[in-house]
Amino acid sequence: MLEMTREEFEELVAEALDRIPPELTRLMDNVAVFVEDEPPAGDPELLGLYEGTPLTERGEWYAGVLPDRITIYRGPTLRMCASREDVVAETEITVVHEIAHHFGIDDERLHALGYG
């Protein structure tokens, strides 16, 4: 397995977030991004997870709720990548994938766009 500290991985996630176009980040609302070492036990290969209510599904009832949560998992990413460059690329894909869920884009569409 490729070695990378949690701090280094968190920096890659931050850099991936910084590459999201400003016109999209301005539209993001009530969402927080976290890094965890491992995903839930039932899905050990999961790279990222979006939990929340997509922007496309929010209505008048949406107020006073906890932020949506995007979690990027370090362990599975490092296990599947052969180099630091692979980790950088995979982390960016995963971050974009999970942010897309925040915007209401489903997995089928993301796979068609190459973010599967």
Side-chain angles (χ1 to χ4, degrees), residues 15-84:
E15 289 170 4
L17 288 167
D18 288 344
R19 285 191 288 278
I20 302 294
E23 55 271 16
L24 290 180
T25 57
R26 281 193 295 272
L27 298 173
M28 292 174 65
D29 181 48
N30 200 31
V31 62
V33 179
F34 299 90
V35 170
E36 297 288 340
D37 288 329
E38 294 296 333
D43 203 352
E45 296 179 11
L46 187 66
L47 302 179
L49 180 65
Y50 170 75
E51 299 170 284
T53 304
L55 295 175
T56 55
E57 295 178 18
R58 295 179 184 180
E60 293 176 11
W61 59 269
Y62 189 85
V65 298
L66 292 174
D68 291 3
R69 181 179 177 102
I70 292 174
T71 308
I72 308 300
Y73 298 106
R74 179 175 155 263
T77 304
L78 295 180
R79 287 191 291 275
M80 74 175 288
C81 294
S83 69
R84 180 177 173 80

